[in-house]
Amino acid sequence: MKHTPRSRLLACFLLLAGTCLAGSAHAAGTYLSNAQVNNVMAALPPPSTPGSAEDRADRAATDEAFAHRSAADFDAALQEEKFDAFAFAVVIGPDFRADKLPHVAALFKEAELETKDAVDASKNHWKRLRPCPPGSACAKDPEQAKKKSYGYPSGHSSRATVDAILLTQLFPQDADALRQHAQDIGWRRVVKGVHTLQDIYGGRMFGQALASAMLSSPTMQSDLAAAAEELRAAGLVKQKTPAAASQTGH
């Protein structure tokens, strides 16, 4: 699978009224066209108005989750600061490894890059500030906290959702566990004190829409078929998945 070079996604997208604010300055990705990304961004609802009762309640929920975090959840959140699709090996099994599955790794690297582009552009549009629970890292080091990206939608929640949906095409028998693991990754961002529930739910919606658009791509379907064949050769799947079967006409 060839990675298509492209510049960062800039602030061009359709508003809810369907109007594009500016000309596109990024090239289409391997799986998502400019129009698809714009449409997904336009469909994401705005976060709560800053300082509103709803906004304060959302942030208070993060304060509560952070204050009552378990050591296990917090440790997992720290380990997930950087993650990719192979973090789902806890569901699929220990042999689900990037070094053993180059086709699978390339597919998910591209999908995650395109997801990050869209998330970054959305964050920079909404500019929703992250929460800052008492005693958290941002409260201890406000200057460092200012260097963080905005909060809505959560990048972790978006990418974990995309990963889970695409992995379900390859491991349909694990669909429920994959979805739950993606949700757990999102929840632990709240436990860590760096996102609110609204950020996480927004990321989940965003990831679902992005994955749906990716799955409409013939390139994605071809890469999924190659990934499924690689997984079969590695003994990780015993029969053709629905996505692979549709590619071969069976």
Side-chain angles (χ1 to χ4, degrees):
M1 174 170 51
K2 183 179 179 181
H3 174 63
T4 303
R6 63 193 189 285
S7 59
R8 280 287 185 210
L9 180 65
L10 300 180
C12 164
F13 52 91
L14 305 176
L15 291 179
L16 295 179
T19 303
C20 185
L21 290 181
S24 176
H26 72 285
T30 298
Y31 302 138
L32 295 171
S33 68
N34 294 340
Q36 286 175 313
V37 174
N38 290 340
N39 288 338
V40 170
M41 291 173 65
L44 185 66
S48 299
T49 302
S52 65
E54 184 178 76
D55 181 62
R56 293 195 304 272
D58 190 36
R59 294 174 186 279
T62 297
D63 293 351
E64 181 78 6
F66 180 80
H68 295 91
R69 65 194 182 278
S70 70
D73 272 350
F74 194 70
D75 286 346
L78 293 175
Q79 294 171 11
E80 290 165 351
E81 188 62 35
K82 292 184 178 180
F83 80 98
D84 59 21
F86 292 94
F88 288 80
V90 297
V91 174
I92 297 166
D95 290 331
F96 186 63
R97 293 169 41 184
D99 61 333
K100 293 182 176 293
L101 302 164
H103 286 291
V104 175
L107 184 159
F108 281 97
K109 181 178 180 180
E110 177 61 28
E112 288 161 359
L113 283 171
E114 293 187 35
T115 299
K116 185 179 186 303
D117 281 346
V119 167
D120 286 349
S122 294
K123 286 185 175 187
N124 289 333
H125 171 65
W126 294 116
K127 293 182 169 60
R128 189 181 197 224
L129 297 180
R130 290 174 180 261
C132 189
S136 66
C138 76
K140 296 175 182 176
D141 190 350
E143 290 305 312
Q144 186 65 28
K146 290 178 182 178
K147 299 177 183 179
K148 292 282 188 180
S149 64
Y150 294 107
Y152 183 87
S154 161
H156 274 61
S157 182
S158 299
R159 287 189 289 113
T161 300
V162 168
D163 286 346
I165 291 172
L166 297 183
L167 284 168
T168 296
Q169 303 298 305
L170 299 168
F171 302 95
Q173 72 279 5
D174 295 322
D176 290 343
L178 292 167
R179 180 174 59 251
Q180 184 61 57
H181 189 63
Q183 291 180 358
D184 289 344
I185 289 174
W187 165 245
R188 284 190 284 266
R189 299 297 282 170
V190 180
V191 169
K192 193 170 183 284
V194 296
H195 278 294
T196 72
L197 285 169
Q198 193 171 145
D199 298 338
I200 300 308
Y201 295 152
R204 193 176 300 169
M205 292 174 58
F206 203 52
Q208 289 170 348
L210 287 172
S212 178
M214 288 181 190
L215 287 170
S216 70
S217 162
T219 303
M220 167 60 80
Q221 290 300 322
S222 176
D223 288 344
L224 279 172
E229 183 58 39
E230 183 175 65
L231 290 167
R232 283 193 295 276
L236 291 180
V237 294
K238 302 304 181 184
Q239 57 187 2
K240 291 183 178 181
T241 64
S246 66
Q247 291 299 300
T248 58
H250 290 92

